């Protein structure tokens, strides 16, 4: 057997329409609530994993630079795959994002979905998408969803070992090809990461119990809106879930304010557009960027409105896309 075992994969970020916020088990990354997302197209992480029996330790290069901080997380994720394969080989991991990292665009979701997919193939592990979803979840909760394309639900699950807290595809992207316009309102890395934000919200926000109690209803509405391609219903439940998640975080101690002034202005513009009949709604994750989801015919109007919002630095337009998949290693076009 040769000493080198290599594969590459691509995965895309996803955006939750019914949000995940809170963990029922922090070590296993088990969510306190189920969630529903859309997987994007056009934005991607491409990752090549090369296990080499001669390497003394794992190496992780992101966008051409050795990333010491993320390396430990990458190693822990690879450990899960090494354990399954019964090997101790270290790996050289080279990864590239075609969008800004750590700016609220779910780079960890696409990153760990691509890592698990590439590493499993490099080790010759015949894992199902469900098994990959479970492994990706252990590294970053929302990564469980990026294993799948289109409309995706990640289950809360009942089991203590988390085997049933995995994602599945609800509907293919091509069935209902909505568009997403991302308004970049800041390029700074966020101050409080999602794990710390979730812990603080659960421990100190007076709205935590109310958040958990209503999630099943929100999920049921979103599921049926997606099945019926009912844009208005999806718009209402998605904005409600987003605002509720932020209300919960705002009421934590100390309060978590993920928005800046431009974020709020963009939300008003999107609301005004929908009020005037444009099929668009917003969602915001644990950061200041605003994601506007719209029907395809509205995309130019939405893009123009967000680009004209004072303080918006850039707009990125994308569609809905596929789940994580293997690619040729030379598609990375970056040096090891
Ligand atoms: O996967 P994490 O730990 O980065 O958490 C993601 C949390 C939100 O993006 C705010 C919501 C979600 O469901 O993606």
């Amino acid at each position: 057997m040769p000493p080198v075992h290599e594969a590459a994969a691509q995965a895309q970020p996803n955006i939750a329409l019914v949000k995940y916020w809170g963990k029922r088990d922090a070590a296993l990354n088990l969510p306190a609530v189920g969630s529903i997302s859309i997987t994007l197209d056009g934005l991607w992480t491409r990752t090549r994993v090369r296990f080499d029996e001669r390497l003394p330790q794992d190496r992780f290069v992101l966008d051409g630079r050795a990333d010491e901080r993320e390396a430990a997380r990458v190693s822990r994720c690879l450990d899960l795959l090494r354990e399954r394969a019964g090997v101790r080989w270290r790996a050289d991991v080279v990864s590239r994002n075609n969008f800004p990292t750590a700016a609220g665009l779910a780079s960890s979701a696409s990153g760990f979905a691509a890592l698990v997919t590439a590493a499993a193939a490099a080790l010759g592990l015949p894992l199902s998408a469900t098994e990959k979803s479970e492994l990706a979840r252990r590294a970053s909760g929302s990564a469980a969803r990026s294993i799948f394309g289109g409309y995706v639900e990640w289950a809360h699950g009942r089991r203590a070992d988390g085997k049933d807290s995995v994602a599945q595809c609800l509907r293919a992207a091509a069935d209902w090809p909505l568009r997403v316009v991302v308004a970049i309102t800041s390029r700074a890395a966020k101050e409080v990461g999602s794990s710390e934000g979730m812990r603080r919200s659960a421990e100190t926000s007076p709205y935590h119990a109310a958040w958990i109690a209503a999630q099943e209803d929100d999920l049921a509405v979103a599921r049926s809106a997606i099945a019926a391609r009912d844009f208005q219903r999806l718009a209402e439940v998605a904005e409600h879930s987003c605002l509720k998640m932020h209300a919960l975080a705002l009421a934590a101690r100390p309060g978590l304010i993920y928005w800046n002034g431009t974020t709020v202005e963009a939300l008003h513009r999107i609301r005004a557009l929908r009020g005037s009949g444009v099929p668009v709604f917003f969602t915001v994750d644990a950061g200041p960027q605003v994601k506007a989801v719209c029907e395809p015919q509205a995309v130019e109007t939405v893009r123009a409105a967000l680009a004209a919002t004072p303080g918006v630095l850039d707009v990125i337009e994308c569609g809905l896309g596929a789940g994580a998949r293997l690619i040729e290693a030379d598609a990375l076009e970056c040096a090891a």
Side-chain angles (χ1 to χ4, degrees):
M1 228 184 170
V4 173
H5 315 265
E6 173 183 296
Q10 171 170 331
Q12 285 126 226
N14 68 78
I15 293 175
L17 303 183
V18 178
K19 301 291 184 196
Y20 150 54
W21 197 251
K23 300 180 199 262
R24 68 182 163 93
D25 182 321
L28 287 174
N29 240 357
L30 294 176
V33 289
S35 55
I36 291 179
S37 61
I38 43 179
T39 301
L40 303 180
D41 198 12
L43 307 179
W44 47 250
T45 300
R46 290 179 179 165
T47 299
R48 191 210 61 205
V49 181
R50 182 183 285 158
F51 287 97
D52 187 332
E53 297 171 22
R54 300 159 300 191
L55 270 181
Q57 61 192 42
D58 293 327
R59 278 199 312 228
F60 177 52
V61 173
L62 176 61
D63 291 332
R65 251 179 272 145
D67 189 330
E68 305 286 333
R69 209 172 58 86
E70 279 297 297
R73 232 170 136 196
V74 166
S75 283
R76 281 198 298 277
C77 180
L78 292 176
D79 284 344
L80 300 174
L81 288 128
R82 283 189 274 251
E83 199 180 298
R84 290 241 184 166
V87 301
R88 300 167 67 90
W89 312 328
R90 302 291 116 183
D92 194 17
V93 179
V94 178
S95 196
R96 218 180 114 201
N97 288 331
N98 73 340
F99 60 96
T101 302
L105 282 168
S107 57
S108 64
S110 51
F112 285 105
L115 181 71
V116 166
T117 303
L123 291 172
L125 283 171
L127 300 182
S128 67
T130 305
E131 288 171 300
K132 287 181 204 158
S133 179
E134 188 199 337
L135 292 171
R137 186 207 75 222
R138 301 266 304 262
S140 165
S142 55
R145 300 185 306 232
S146 275
I147 294 291
F148 297 92
Y151 299 79
V152 178
E153 177 163 4
W154 168 25
H156 170 277
R158 297 279 151 225
R159 292 174 55 142
D161 65 4
K163 294 248 177 272
D164 57 352
S165 183
V166 291
Q168 62 169 340
C169 177
L170 293 176
R171 187 150 207 173
D175 277 356
W176 197 17
L178 297 177
R179 308 284 305 172
V180 179
V181 181
V182 182
I184 306 291
T185 67
S186 166
R187 296 196 199 281
K190 61 187 165 202
E191 279 169 33
V192 182
S194 53
S195 290
E196 165 58 16
M198 289 181 201
R199 191 197 56 76
R200 198 185 295 174
S201 302
E203 287 175 9
T204 65
S205 177
Y207 305 141
H208 183 68
W211 163 255
I212 306 280
Q215 187 80 351
E216 279 308 316
D217 288 350
D218 291 352
L219 289 167
V221 171
R223 247 180 248 127
S224 81
I226 290 165
R229 285 183 286 209
D230 183 336
F231 189 87
Q232 287 300 329
R233 271 187 100 205
L234 188 61
E236 277 163 33
V237 74
E239 288 192 356
H240 175 61
S241 178
C242 162
L243 293 174
K244 201 162 43 169
M245 179 199 113
H246 284 276
L248 168 73
L250 283 163
R253 284 192 172 165
L256 296 152
I257 309 173
Y258 285 113
W259 302 349
N260 58 38
T262 307
T263 310
V264 179
E265 189 52 35
L267 302 188
H268 284 300
R269 301 241 170 165
I270 292 165
R271 274 278 169 94
L273 283 177
R274 192 154 87 259
S276 67
V278 178
V280 60
F281 65 84
F282 62 72
T283 190
V284 187
D285 290 312
Q289 326 304 7
V290 175
K291 290 98 178 192
V293 182
C294 66
E295 290 191 351
Q297 73 277 14
V299 77
E300 278 316 315
T301 309
V302 172
R303 175 195 260 278
L306 288 175
T309 302
V312 167
L313 305 174
D314 199 4
V315 287
I316 302 172
E317 190 195 320
C318 38
L320 306 195
R325 59 207 176 275
L326 294 173
I327 56 170
E328 294 295 327
D330 56 15
L332 259 89
E333 295 163 17
C334 55

